[in-house]
Every structure is written in structure tokens, then in C-alpha cells.
Amino acid sequence: MKNNSLSYVYLLLVHAVIALVIFVAPFLSKIYAVIIPVVGVLIVHRNKNKNNEVLYVSAYLVGAEVFLRMTGGNFNNEYIKFLVAFFMVMGMIYSNFSKNSFAYGFFILLLIPSIVITSTVANFDTDIRKTLVFNLSGPICLALCSIYMFKRKILFSNLQNIVLAMGFPILTTTIYLFLYNPNVKDVITGTQSNFETSGGFGPNQVSTILGLGMFIFFTQLILFSKSKRESILNGILLIFISFRAVVTFSRGGVITSLGMIICLLFLLYYFSNAKGKSKFIIVFTVIGLMAAGIWTYTSLQTHGLLEKRYANQDARGRVKKDRLGGREAIINADIKVFLDNPVMGVGAGMGKQARRESLGIEVASHNEITRMLSEHGLFGIFGLIILFLTPFIIYINNIQHLYFLSFYVFWLLTINHAAMRIAAPAFVYALSLLTVVVKIPEKEKDTLD
């Protein structure tokens, strides 16, 4: 137990050093981006994926994506999605996949009509390959992750290690943000999302990944802290990440994290015995005090602008007409495009041009649901039905998966405010499809349904 504790602390320190080194020498970010998949391939190949090594490598890549993008390490915007998809295929080659995952193969087939439409209607000024990759890399990554993870048996302790593999590079991201902007007071001047507190990168995506980090270290705090020292350490990490998430002034990731935590606490309480339920008073008290402390400190640091941001007010306290930062107009435009093209949609990636007619400007959708409707039409509806219902069908016989609701909520809320710009919603969605057990019988250890 002591060795495990030391390993955990050691890994935290290593990832703190990575943040410092890349902050001092940014060019090392690209080397870091190459090392991760190279080492990952070696690990998976050496072990023949006997212990689902592809999940650990993919989880780490997902956690590192925003950090690599903000430091210039990504070779292109879809780099991590491509790598995650590659490792999922690699995992299928070594470890096969469930024959019952055909629903997600069908989901991929549902994307094909929109590709055909785009190829025929796109004008000469449109880079078809770039357009298709930008809009379909997320759904295809999700489908491949889902095919690999569909009802794959895994111990809950191993699932936590996979989740923690996402958490380490998220800690690196958080420390880098502190180094990039150590004094929040100097850069908070309004209630809009803040690029300075987000490392010069998109606040929406930074908030999303930090919100995921909040959930990860919350689980470490309440479920996997083996001593008071570890509890204090995990509590500090949770507070640190939460503070940096809140000061991005992008609400989506923070609200999503709160939703994930509430879902986890609900399931823990529901499945606890009377003695366990009595301990929740302490848990709720500690959580409440931490939340109040973070909010109060952040409010002081932002001169009260934090409350105005979450009350949808500007710096002068006037209520904004638009509650979603312009997303309502995009959603309405997508719905209009769908109603005009209900069967086939306008083609993958063509929604951006179609919105120009309604909004006067070309703008990418932040909502994956309405994008699927406008660009894929009826095929998009069928695809969404598969995505919405399949996890719950599996969960009926998978109640030991305590993170199921949290993972599902992360995917659902994230695609509504940040679409699938990063790989996190695709990968985390697929984690909800795992069959989580306390102990796997020896005879069934290597079998799939």
C-alpha cells in the first residue's frame, strides 16, 4: 500500500515537472506529443493488449490533448482523435471485440450518405477532405471506441486507473495554466470567457477538460484515498483544478463536472447500506465547505465578476439577452436547415455554409446534436437514437458500473456546448459501455459476449 502511495505521488510530481519544462521550452511539446503514442505502441505490442493497455494509452492521450493544443504540440486539430482511433483498432486486432457491438458499426454506416452529399454539392472553394475530417473525426472516434469497449469486462479498480491516466496530464494542464497566468486579478476585466486564464487557448475546451479533471480527483478523494495524507493531497488537487476551471469563465465544463459528481453521489448513496448512508452527512458537509471556499476565493479574485458571469450578466450587472454565448442562434439555424432538408441533410460539414444564409456569417456548430440533424437529416436521427439508448440498455445488467451516469452525462452535456472538438466526449462515452465487475471469474476473464 505504501509503494502504491509513493508511485501515485511520484507520477503527480513527474507531471508537474512536465508542465514546468514545456513552459520554459515550448518546443518540447511536440516531442512530448510524439513520445506518448510511440511508447504506447511499444507497451501495447509487448503485452499484446492482455490488460487492455490501449485504454490506458488512449486515456492518457485524451487527458493530454488540450495541453498539447495550447502549447503547440498537436500536429493538427484531429491528432489525438486519430491516435485514439488507431489504438482502438490496435486493441481490436489483439483482443477482438464483441459481436453485439454491431449497432456502432451501423452508426458508422449512417454517416456515409452525408459524405456522398458533401462530395457532390461542395463548391470548388471547399476543401472537402478537411471539411469531412473536421466534422466526422469525432463521431468515428466515438464509434471505434464504443466497438472496442462494448461490454468488455474490467475490474472497477482498473477502471479507476484508466480514469486516473486521464487525470495526470490534466494536472499538467492545470499547473501550466498557473505558470502562464499566476495572477487572475490582472486579467479578469469582464464576464466573457477568458483566454488569458485559459493558457491563450479556447476557454470552452479548457473548461471541459478541467471539469473532467475535477471529477477524476473528486473520485480519488472520496473513493481511493487510503490515508489522511492522501485525502489532504487529493483535496488540494481538487481545489486547485476547480479554481482554474472556474476562472476560465467558461461555464460548460464546470456545470458538466457538477452534474457528473451529483450522478456519482446519487448512485453511491442509492447502493449504500444504512451505515454507509449515514456517512454521507460528512461527505456532503466536506463537499459543501470546499465548494463554498472555492467560490468565495474566486469571487474575491475576480472582483465579484464570477457571480455576474453565472447570473448571465455583463460587467455592469446588466442581464444578457443571449444565455448561451451566441449558441442559441446557431442551434436555431441548424434546426431550420434540418426542417428544409429533413431526409438527407445538407451533407457533413456543409452546415457551416448553410448557416451563413440564416446568420450572415459562416460559423461552426457548438452543438453536436443539432449538427447531426442539419447535416445528416433522418440518418442523423437514427444515429442519435443509437447513441442515446444503447448505454442504458447495457446498464440494465451492469449496475456495478458506478461511473456510468457520470460518463454519460459528461458526453451528453459536452456535445451540447463544445460539440466534439476534442476526443474526450467520444472516449468517455465509450467508457460507459464497459462491463464493470468487482471480480472477474477466471474462466470468463478473457471472453467477450
Side-chain angles (χ1 to χ4, degrees), residues 126-210:
T126 302
D127 186 335
I128 296 177
R129 183 187 63 81
K130 185 177 180 180
T131 298
L132 290 176
V133 168
F134 178 79
N135 288 278
L136 297 182
S137 59
I140 291 175
C141 180
L142 180 149
L144 292 175
C145 289
S146 299
I147 291 171
Y148 176 79
M149 290 188 235
F150 190 92
K151 300 184 76 172
R152 188 171 293 271
K153 291 184 174 69
I154 190 170
L155 291 172
F156 182 64
S157 57
N158 290 338
L159 175 60
Q160 181 64 18
N161 289 334
I162 292 168
V163 169
L164 197 55
M166 282 191 287
F168 288 126
I170 293 176
L171 175 64
T172 300
T173 306
T174 309
I175 293 173
Y176 179 86
L177 291 174
F178 176 77
L179 295 171
Y180 185 93
N181 168 237
N183 195 342
V184 173
K185 286 183 178 180
D186 295 339
V187 296
I188 299 292
T189 57
T191 60
Q192 69 279 5
S193 297
N194 195 292
F195 281 80
E196 286 297 316
T197 58
S198 304
F201 188 63
N204 198 19
Q205 295 173 33
V206 175
S207 171
T208 296
I209 207 68
L210 292 183

Coordinates of all heavy atoms in Angstrom, one line a residue, residues 126-210:
T126 N -14.2 24.8 -51.4 CA -14.3 24.0 -50.2 C -13.3 22.9 -50.2 O -13.1 22.1 -51.2 CB -15.7 23.3 -50.0 OG1 -16.7 24.4 -50.0 CG2 -15.8 22.5 -48.7
D127 N -12.5 22.8 -49.2 CA -11.5 21.7 -49.0 C -12.3 20.5 -48.5 O -12.6 20.4 -47.2 CB -10.4 22.1 -48.1 CG -9.3 21.0 -48.0 OD1 -9.6 19.8 -48.2 OD2 -8.2 21.3 -47.7
I128 N -12.8 19.6 -49.3 CA -13.7 18.5 -48.9 C -13.1 17.6 -47.9 O -13.7 17.3 -46.9 CB -14.1 17.7 -50.2 CG1 -15.0 18.6 -51.1 CG2 -15.0 16.5 -49.7 CD1 -15.4 17.9 -52.4
R129 N -11.8 17.2 -48.1 CA -11.2 16.3 -47.1 C -11.1 17.0 -45.8 O -11.5 16.3 -44.8 CB -9.8 16.0 -47.6 CG -9.0 15.0 -46.7 CD -7.6 14.8 -47.2 NE -6.9 16.1 -47.0 CZ -6.3 16.5 -45.8 NH1 -6.5 15.8 -44.7 NH2 -5.7 17.7 -45.8
K130 N -10.7 18.2 -45.7 CA -10.6 18.9 -44.4 C -12.0 19.1 -43.7 O -12.1 18.9 -42.5 CB -9.9 20.3 -44.6 CG -9.7 21.0 -43.3 CD -9.0 22.4 -43.6 CE -8.7 23.1 -42.3 NZ -8.0 24.4 -42.6
T131 N -13.0 19.4 -44.6 CA -14.3 19.5 -44.0 C -14.9 18.2 -43.4 O -15.4 18.2 -42.3 CB -15.3 20.0 -45.2 OG1 -14.8 21.3 -45.6 CG2 -16.7 20.1 -44.6
L132 N -14.7 17.2 -44.2 CA -15.2 15.9 -43.7 C -14.4 15.4 -42.4 O -15.0 14.9 -41.5 CB -15.0 14.8 -44.8 CG -15.9 15.0 -46.0 CD1 -15.6 13.9 -47.1 CD2 -17.4 14.9 -45.6
V133 N -13.1 15.6 -42.4 CA -12.3 15.2 -41.3 C -12.7 15.9 -40.0 O -12.9 15.4 -39.0 CB -10.8 15.3 -41.6 CG1 -10.0 15.2 -40.3 CG2 -10.3 14.3 -42.6
F134 N -12.9 17.2 -40.2 CA -13.2 18.1 -39.0 C -14.5 17.7 -38.4 O -14.7 17.7 -37.2 CB -13.3 19.6 -39.5 CG -13.7 20.5 -38.4 CD1 -12.8 20.9 -37.5 CD2 -15.0 21.0 -38.3 CE1 -13.1 21.8 -36.4 CE2 -15.4 21.9 -37.3 CZ -14.4 22.3 -36.4
N135 N -15.5 17.3 -39.3 CA -16.9 17.1 -38.7 C -17.1 15.6 -38.4 O -18.0 15.3 -37.6 CB -17.9 17.5 -39.8 CG -18.0 19.0 -39.8 OD1 -18.7 19.7 -39.0 ND2 -17.3 19.6 -40.8
L136 N -16.4 14.7 -39.0 CA -16.6 13.3 -38.8 C -15.6 12.5 -37.9 O -15.8 11.4 -37.5 CB -16.7 12.5 -40.2 CG -17.9 13.0 -41.1 CD1 -17.9 12.2 -42.3 CD2 -19.2 12.9 -40.4
S137 N -14.5 13.2 -37.7 CA -13.4 12.5 -36.9 C -14.0 12.2 -35.5 O -13.7 11.1 -34.9 CB -12.2 13.4 -36.8 OG -12.5 14.7 -36.2
G138 N -14.8 13.1 -34.9 CA -15.3 12.9 -33.6 C -16.3 11.7 -33.5 O -16.1 10.7 -32.7
P139 N -17.3 11.7 -34.4 CA -18.3 10.5 -34.4 C -17.6 9.2 -34.7 O -17.9 8.2 -34.1 CB -19.2 10.9 -35.5 CG -19.2 12.4 -35.5 CD -17.8 12.8 -35.2
I140 N -16.6 9.2 -35.7 CA -16.0 7.9 -36.0 C -15.1 7.5 -34.8 O -15.0 6.3 -34.5 CB -15.1 8.1 -37.3 CG1 -16.1 8.3 -38.5 CG2 -14.2 6.9 -37.5 CD1 -15.4 8.6 -39.8
C141 N -14.4 8.4 -34.2 CA -13.6 8.1 -33.0 C -14.5 7.5 -31.9 O -14.2 6.4 -31.3 CB -12.9 9.3 -32.5 SG -11.9 9.0 -31.0
L142 N -15.7 8.1 -31.7 CA -16.6 7.6 -30.7 C -17.1 6.1 -31.1 O -17.2 5.2 -30.2 CB -17.9 8.5 -30.6 CG -19.0 8.1 -29.6 CD1 -19.6 9.4 -29.1 CD2 -20.0 7.2 -30.3
A143 N -17.4 5.9 -32.4 CA -17.9 4.6 -32.8 C -16.8 3.5 -32.6 O -17.1 2.4 -32.1 CB -18.3 4.7 -34.3
L144 N -15.6 3.8 -32.9 CA -14.5 2.8 -32.8 C -14.2 2.5 -31.3 O -14.0 1.4 -30.9 CB -13.2 3.3 -33.5 CG -13.3 3.4 -35.0 CD1 -12.0 4.0 -35.6 CD2 -13.5 2.0 -35.6
C145 N -14.2 3.6 -30.5 CA -14.1 3.4 -29.0 C -15.2 2.5 -28.5 O -15.0 1.6 -27.6 CB -14.1 4.8 -28.3 SG -12.6 5.8 -28.6
S146 N -16.4 2.8 -29.0 CA -17.6 2.0 -28.5 C -17.5 0.6 -28.9 O -17.9 -0.3 -28.1 CB -18.8 2.7 -29.0 OG -19.0 4.0 -28.5
I147 N -17.1 0.3 -30.1 CA -17.0 -1.1 -30.6 C -16.0 -1.8 -29.7 O -16.2 -3.0 -29.3 CB -16.6 -1.1 -32.1 CG1 -17.7 -0.6 -32.9 CG2 -16.2 -2.5 -32.5 CD1 -17.3 -0.4 -34.4
Y148 N -14.8 -1.2 -29.4 CA -13.8 -1.9 -28.6 C -14.3 -2.1 -27.2 O -14.1 -3.2 -26.6 CB -12.5 -1.1 -28.6 CG -11.5 -1.7 -27.7 CD1 -10.7 -2.8 -28.1 CD2 -11.3 -1.3 -26.4 CE1 -9.8 -3.5 -27.3 CE2 -10.4 -1.9 -25.5 CZ -9.6 -3.0 -26.0 OH -8.7 -3.6 -25.2
M149 N -14.9 -1.1 -26.6 CA -15.3 -1.2 -25.2 C -16.6 -1.9 -24.9 O -17.0 -2.1 -23.7 CB -15.3 0.2 -24.5 CG -13.9 0.8 -24.4 SD -13.9 2.3 -23.5 CE -13.1 3.4 -24.6
F150 N -17.4 -2.1 -25.9 CA -18.8 -2.7 -25.8 C -18.8 -3.9 -24.9 O -18.2 -5.0 -25.3 CB -19.4 -2.9 -27.1 CG -20.8 -3.2 -27.1 CD1 -21.8 -2.2 -27.2 CD2 -21.3 -4.5 -26.9 CE1 -23.1 -2.5 -27.2 CE2 -22.6 -4.8 -26.9 CZ -23.6 -3.8 -27.0
K151 N -19.3 -3.8 -23.7 CA -19.4 -5.0 -22.8 C -18.1 -5.7 -22.5 O -18.1 -6.9 -22.2 CB -20.5 -5.9 -23.3 CG -21.9 -5.3 -23.5 CD -22.9 -6.3 -23.9 CE -23.4 -7.2 -22.7 NZ -24.5 -8.0 -23.0
R152 N -17.0 -5.0 -22.6 CA -15.7 -5.6 -22.3 C -15.6 -5.5 -20.7 O -15.7 -4.5 -20.1 CB -14.6 -4.8 -22.9 CG -13.2 -5.4 -22.8 CD -12.2 -4.7 -23.6 NE -12.5 -4.8 -25.0 CZ -12.0 -5.8 -25.8 NH1 -11.2 -6.7 -25.2 NH2 -12.3 -5.8 -27.1
K153 N -15.3 -6.7 -20.2 CA -15.2 -6.8 -18.7 C -14.0 -6.2 -18.2 O -12.9 -6.3 -18.7 CB -15.3 -8.3 -18.3 CG -16.6 -9.0 -18.5 CD -16.6 -10.4 -18.0 CE -18.0 -11.0 -18.1 NZ -18.4 -11.3 -19.4
I154 N -14.1 -5.5 -17.0 CA -13.0 -4.8 -16.4 C -13.3 -4.6 -14.9 O -14.4 -4.4 -14.5 CB -12.7 -3.4 -17.1 CG1 -11.4 -2.8 -16.6 CG2 -13.9 -2.5 -16.9 CD1 -11.0 -1.6 -17.5
L155 N -12.3 -4.7 -14.1 CA -12.4 -4.5 -12.7 C -12.6 -3.0 -12.4 O -12.0 -2.2 -13.1 CB -11.2 -5.0 -11.9 CG -10.9 -6.5 -11.9 CD1 -9.6 -6.8 -11.3 CD2 -12.0 -7.2 -11.1
F156 N -13.4 -2.7 -11.4 CA -13.6 -1.3 -11.1 C -12.3 -0.6 -10.7 O -12.1 0.6 -11.1 CB -14.6 -1.2 -9.9 CG -14.9 0.2 -9.5 CD1 -15.5 1.1 -10.4 CD2 -14.5 0.7 -8.3 CE1 -15.8 2.4 -10.0 CE2 -14.8 2.0 -7.9 CZ -15.5 2.8 -8.8
S157 N -11.4 -1.3 -10.0 CA -10.1 -0.7 -9.7 C -9.3 -0.4 -10.9 O -8.6 0.6 -11.0 CB -9.3 -1.6 -8.7 OG -9.1 -2.9 -9.4
N158 N -9.4 -1.2 -11.9 CA -8.7 -1.0 -13.2 C -9.3 0.2 -13.9 O -8.6 1.0 -14.6 CB -8.6 -2.2 -14.1 CG -7.7 -3.3 -13.5 OD1 -6.8 -3.0 -12.7 ND2 -8.0 -4.6 -13.9
L159 N -10.6 0.3 -13.9 CA -11.3 1.4 -14.5 C -10.8 2.7 -13.9 O -10.6 3.7 -14.6 CB -12.8 1.3 -14.3 CG -13.6 2.5 -14.8 CD1 -13.4 2.7 -16.3 CD2 -15.1 2.2 -14.5
Q160 N -10.7 2.7 -12.5 CA -10.2 3.9 -11.9 C -8.8 4.3 -12.3 O -8.4 5.4 -12.5 CB -10.2 3.7 -10.4 CG -9.7 5.0 -9.6 CD -10.6 6.2 -9.8 OE1 -11.8 6.0 -10.2 NE2 -10.1 7.4 -9.5
N161 N -7.9 3.3 -12.6 CA -6.6 3.5 -13.1 C -6.6 4.1 -14.5 O -5.8 5.0 -14.8 CB -5.8 2.2 -13.1 CG -5.4 1.8 -11.7 OD1 -5.3 2.6 -10.8 ND2 -5.2 0.5 -11.5
I162 N -7.6 3.7 -15.3 CA -7.7 4.3 -16.6 C -8.2 5.7 -16.5 O -7.7 6.6 -17.2 CB -8.8 3.5 -17.4 CG1 -8.2 2.1 -17.7 CG2 -9.2 4.2 -18.7 CD1 -9.3 1.1 -18.2
V163 N -9.1 6.0 -15.6 CA -9.6 7.4 -15.4 C -8.4 8.2 -14.9 O -8.3 9.4 -15.3 CB -10.8 7.3 -14.3 CG1 -11.1 8.7 -13.9 CG2 -12.0 6.7 -15.0
L164 N -7.6 7.7 -14.0 CA -6.5 8.4 -13.4 C -5.5 8.7 -14.5 O -4.8 9.7 -14.4 CB -5.9 7.6 -12.3 CG -5.0 8.4 -11.3 CD1 -5.7 9.6 -10.7 CD2 -4.5 7.4 -10.2
A165 N -5.3 7.8 -15.5 CA -4.4 8.0 -16.6 C -4.8 9.3 -17.3 O -4.0 10.0 -17.9 CB -4.4 6.8 -17.5
M166 N -6.1 9.6 -17.4 CA -6.6 10.9 -17.9 C -6.2 12.1 -17.0 O -5.9 13.2 -17.5 CB -8.1 10.9 -18.2 CG -8.5 10.1 -19.4 SD -10.3 10.4 -19.8 CE -11.1 9.5 -18.5
G167 N -6.3 11.8 -15.7 CA -6.1 12.8 -14.7 C -4.7 13.4 -14.6 O -4.5 14.6 -14.4
F168 N -3.7 12.6 -14.8 CA -2.3 13.1 -14.7 C -2.0 14.2 -15.7 O -1.5 15.2 -15.3 CB -1.3 11.9 -14.8 CG -1.3 11.0 -13.7 CD1 -1.5 9.6 -13.8 CD2 -1.1 11.4 -12.4 CE1 -1.5 8.7 -12.8 CE2 -1.1 10.6 -11.3 CZ -1.3 9.2 -11.5
P169 N -2.2 14.0 -17.0 CA -1.9 15.2 -17.9 C -2.9 16.3 -17.7 O -2.5 17.5 -18.1 CB -2.1 14.5 -19.3 CG -2.9 13.3 -19.1 CD -2.6 12.8 -17.7
I170 N -4.1 16.1 -17.1 CA -4.9 17.2 -16.8 C -4.3 18.1 -15.7 O -4.4 19.3 -15.7 CB -6.3 16.8 -16.4 CG1 -7.0 16.1 -17.6 CG2 -7.2 17.9 -15.9 CD1 -8.4 15.5 -17.3
L171 N -3.6 17.4 -14.7 CA -2.9 18.1 -13.7 C -1.8 18.9 -14.3 O -1.5 20.1 -14.0 CB -2.3 17.2 -12.7 CG -1.4 17.8 -11.6 CD1 -2.2 18.7 -10.7 CD2 -0.7 16.7 -10.8
T172 N -1.1 18.4 -15.3 CA -0.1 19.1 -16.1 C -0.7 20.4 -16.7 O -0.1 21.4 -16.6 CB 0.5 18.2 -17.2 OG1 1.1 17.0 -16.6 CG2 1.6 18.9 -18.0
T173 N -1.8 20.2 -17.3 CA -2.5 21.4 -17.9 C -2.8 22.4 -16.9 O -2.6 23.6 -17.1 CB -3.9 20.9 -18.5 OG1 -3.6 19.8 -19.4 CG2 -4.5 22.1 -19.2
T174 N -3.2 22.0 -15.7 CA -3.6 23.0 -14.6 C -2.4 23.7 -14.1 O -2.4 25.0 -13.9 CB -4.2 22.2 -13.4 OG1 -5.3 21.4 -13.9 CG2 -4.8 23.2 -12.4
I175 N -1.3 23.0 -14.0 CA 0.0 23.7 -13.5 C 0.5 24.6 -14.6 O 1.0 25.7 -14.3 CB 1.0 22.6 -13.1 CG1 0.5 21.9 -11.9 CG2 2.4 23.3 -12.8 CD1 1.4 20.7 -11.5
Y176 N 0.4 24.2 -15.8 CA 0.8 25.1 -16.9 C 0.0 26.4 -16.9 O 0.5 27.5 -17.1 CB 0.7 24.4 -18.2 CG 1.1 25.2 -19.4 CD1 2.4 25.3 -19.8 CD2 0.1 26.0 -20.1 CE1 2.8 26.1 -20.9 CE2 0.5 26.7 -21.2 CZ 1.8 26.8 -21.6 OH 2.2 27.6 -22.7
L177 N -1.3 26.3 -16.7 CA -2.2 27.5 -16.6 C -1.7 28.4 -15.5 O -1.8 29.6 -15.7 CB -3.6 27.0 -16.4 CG -4.3 26.3 -17.6 CD1 -5.7 25.8 -17.2 CD2 -4.4 27.2 -18.8
F178 N -1.3 27.9 -14.4 CA -0.9 28.7 -13.3 C 0.4 29.4 -13.7 O 0.6 30.6 -13.4 CB -0.7 27.8 -12.0 CG -0.1 28.6 -10.9 CD1 -0.9 29.4 -10.1 CD2 1.3 28.5 -10.6 CE1 -0.3 30.2 -9.0 CE2 1.8 29.2 -9.5 CZ 1.0 30.0 -8.7
L179 N 1.3 28.7 -14.3 CA 2.6 29.3 -14.8 C 2.3 30.4 -15.8 O 3.0 31.4 -15.8 CB 3.5 28.2 -15.4 CG 4.0 27.2 -14.4 CD1 4.7 26.1 -15.1 CD2 4.9 27.8 -13.3
Y180 N 1.4 30.1 -16.7 CA 1.0 31.1 -17.8 C 0.4 32.3 -17.3 O 0.6 33.4 -17.7 CB 0.1 30.4 -18.8 CG -0.2 31.2 -20.0 CD1 0.5 31.0 -21.2 CD2 -1.3 32.0 -20.1 CE1 0.2 31.7 -22.3 CE2 -1.6 32.7 -21.2 CZ -0.9 32.6 -22.3 OH -1.2 33.3 -23.5
N181 N -0.5 32.1 -16.2 CA -1.2 33.2 -15.7 C -1.3 33.0 -14.1 O -2.3 32.6 -13.6 CB -2.6 33.3 -16.3 CG -3.5 34.3 -15.6 OD1 -4.6 33.9 -15.1 ND2 -3.1 35.5 -15.4
P182 N -0.3 33.4 -13.4 CA -0.3 33.2 -12.0 C -1.2 34.1 -11.2 O -1.7 33.8 -10.1 CB 1.1 33.4 -11.5 CG 1.7 34.3 -12.6 CD 1.0 34.0 -13.9
N183 N -1.5 35.3 -11.8 CA -2.4 36.3 -11.1 C -3.6 36.6 -11.8 O -3.7 37.3 -12.8 CB -1.6 37.6 -10.9 CG -2.3 38.5 -9.9 OD1 -3.4 38.4 -9.5 ND2 -1.5 39.5 -9.4
V184 N -4.7 36.0 -11.4 CA -6.0 36.1 -12.1 C -6.5 37.5 -12.1 O -7.2 38.0 -13.0 CB -7.0 35.1 -11.4 CG1 -8.4 35.3 -12.0 CG2 -6.6 33.7 -11.6
K185 N -6.3 38.2 -11.0 CA -6.8 39.6 -10.8 C -6.4 40.5 -12.0 O -7.2 41.4 -12.4 CB -6.3 40.2 -9.5 CG -7.0 39.6 -8.3 CD -6.5 40.4 -7.0 CE -7.2 39.9 -5.8 NZ -6.7 40.6 -4.6
D186 N -5.3 40.2 -12.5 CA -4.7 41.1 -13.5 C -5.4 41.0 -14.9 O -5.3 41.9 -15.7 CB -3.2 40.9 -13.7 CG -2.4 41.3 -12.5 OD1 -2.9 42.0 -11.7 OD2 -1.3 40.7 -12.4
V187 N -6.1 39.9 -15.1 CA -6.6 39.7 -16.5 C -8.1 39.6 -16.5 O -8.7 39.5 -17.6 CB -6.0 38.4 -17.1 CG1 -4.5 38.6 -17.3 CG2 -6.3 37.2 -16.3
I188 N -8.8 39.5 -15.4 CA -10.3 39.4 -15.4 C -10.8 40.8 -15.4 O -10.8 41.5 -14.4 CB -10.8 38.6 -14.2 CG1 -10.3 37.2 -14.2 CG2 -12.3 38.6 -14.1 CD1 -10.8 36.3 -15.2
T189 N -11.4 41.2 -16.5 CA -12.0 42.6 -16.7 C -13.4 42.6 -17.1 O -14.1 43.6 -17.0 CB -11.2 43.4 -17.7 OG1 -11.2 42.7 -18.9 CG2 -9.7 43.6 -17.2
G190 N -13.9 41.4 -17.5 CA -15.3 41.3 -17.9 C -15.9 39.9 -17.6 O -15.2 39.1 -16.9
T191 N -17.1 39.7 -18.1 CA -17.7 38.4 -17.7 C -17.7 37.4 -18.9 O -18.3 36.3 -18.8 CB -19.2 38.6 -17.3 OG1 -19.9 39.2 -18.4 CG2 -19.3 39.5 -16.1
Q192 N -17.0 37.7 -20.0 CA -16.9 36.8 -21.1 C -15.8 35.7 -20.8 O -15.0 35.9 -19.9 CB -16.5 37.5 -22.4 CG -15.1 38.1 -22.4 CD -15.0 39.5 -21.7 OE1 -15.9 39.9 -21.0 NE2 -13.8 40.1 -21.8
S193 N -15.9 34.6 -21.5 CA -14.8 33.6 -21.4 C -13.5 34.2 -21.6 O -13.3 35.1 -22.4 CB -15.1 32.5 -22.4 OG -16.3 31.8 -22.2
N194 N -12.5 33.8 -20.8 CA -11.2 34.5 -20.7 C -10.1 33.6 -21.3 O -9.8 32.5 -20.8 CB -10.9 34.8 -19.3 CG -9.8 35.8 -19.1 OD1 -8.6 35.5 -19.5 ND2 -10.1 37.0 -18.7
F195 N -9.4 34.1 -22.3 CA -8.3 33.3 -23.0 C -7.0 33.4 -22.1 O -6.2 32.5 -22.2 CB -8.1 33.9 -24.4 CG -9.1 33.4 -25.4 CD1 -10.3 34.0 -25.5 CD2 -8.7 32.3 -26.2 CE1 -11.2 33.5 -26.4 CE2 -9.6 31.9 -27.2 CZ -10.9 32.5 -27.3
E196 N -6.8 34.4 -21.4 CA -5.6 34.6 -20.6 C -5.6 33.5 -19.5 O -4.6 32.9 -19.2 CB -5.5 36.0 -20.0 CG -5.1 37.0 -21.0 CD -3.8 36.8 -21.6 OE1 -2.8 36.5 -20.8 OE2 -3.6 37.0 -22.8
T197 N -6.7 33.3 -18.8 CA -6.8 32.3 -17.7 C -6.9 30.9 -18.3 O -6.8 29.9 -17.6 CB -7.9 32.6 -16.8 OG1 -9.2 32.5 -17.6 CG2 -7.8 33.9 -16.1
S198 N -7.0 30.8 -19.7 CA -7.1 29.5 -20.3 C -5.8 29.2 -21.1 O -5.9 28.4 -22.0 CB -8.3 29.5 -21.3 OG -9.5 29.8 -20.6
G199 N -4.7 29.8 -20.7 CA -3.5 29.5 -21.4 C -3.4 30.0 -22.8 O -2.6 29.5 -23.6
G200 N -4.2 31.0 -23.2 CA -4.2 31.5 -24.5 C -4.9 30.6 -25.5 O -4.9 30.8 -26.7
F201 N -5.6 29.6 -25.0 CA -6.3 28.7 -25.8 C -7.8 28.8 -25.6 O -8.3 29.6 -24.7 CB -5.9 27.2 -25.5 CG -6.4 26.2 -26.4 CD1 -6.1 26.2 -27.7 CD2 -7.2 25.2 -25.9 CE1 -6.5 25.2 -28.6 CE2 -7.7 24.2 -26.7 CZ -7.3 24.2 -28.1
G202 N -8.7 28.1 -26.3 CA -10.1 28.2 -26.2 C -10.6 27.9 -24.8 O -10.5 26.7 -24.4
P203 N -11.2 28.8 -24.1 CA -11.7 28.6 -22.8 C -12.7 27.5 -22.7 O -12.8 26.7 -21.7 CB -12.4 29.9 -22.4 CG -11.7 30.9 -23.3 CD -11.5 30.2 -24.6
N204 N -13.6 27.3 -23.7 CA -14.6 26.2 -23.7 C -13.9 24.8 -23.6 O -14.4 24.0 -22.8 CB -15.4 26.3 -25.0 CG -16.7 25.6 -24.8 OD1 -17.2 25.3 -23.8 ND2 -17.3 25.3 -26.0
Q205 N -12.9 24.6 -24.3 CA -12.2 23.3 -24.3 C -11.4 23.1 -23.1 O -11.3 22.0 -22.5 CB -11.4 23.1 -25.6 CG -12.2 23.1 -26.8 CD -11.4 23.1 -28.1 OE1 -10.3 22.5 -28.1 NE2 -11.9 23.7 -29.2
V206 N -10.8 24.2 -22.6 CA -10.0 24.1 -21.3 C -10.9 23.9 -20.2 O -10.6 23.0 -19.3 CB -9.2 25.5 -21.1 CG1 -8.5 25.4 -19.7 CG2 -8.2 25.7 -22.2
S207 N -12.1 24.5 -20.1 CA -13.1 24.3 -19.1 C -13.6 22.9 -19.1 O -13.7 22.2 -18.1 CB -14.2 25.3 -19.3 OG -15.3 25.0 -18.4
T208 N -13.8 22.3 -20.3 CA -14.3 21.0 -20.5 C -13.3 20.0 -19.9 O -13.7 19.1 -19.1 CB -14.5 20.6 -22.0 OG1 -15.5 21.5 -22.5 CG2 -14.9 19.2 -22.1
I209 N -12.0 20.1 -20.2 CA -11.0 19.1 -19.7 C -10.7 19.3 -18.2 O -10.5 18.3 -17.5 CB -9.7 19.2 -20.6 CG1 -9.0 17.8 -20.5 CG2 -8.8 20.3 -20.1 CD1 -9.8 16.7 -21.3
L210 N -10.8 20.5 -17.8 CA -10.6 20.8 -16.3 C -11.8 20.3 -15.5 O -11.6 19.8 -14.4 CB -10.3 22.2 -16.0 CG -9.0 22.8 -16.6 CD1 -8.9 24.3 -16.1 CD2 -7.8 22.1 -16.1

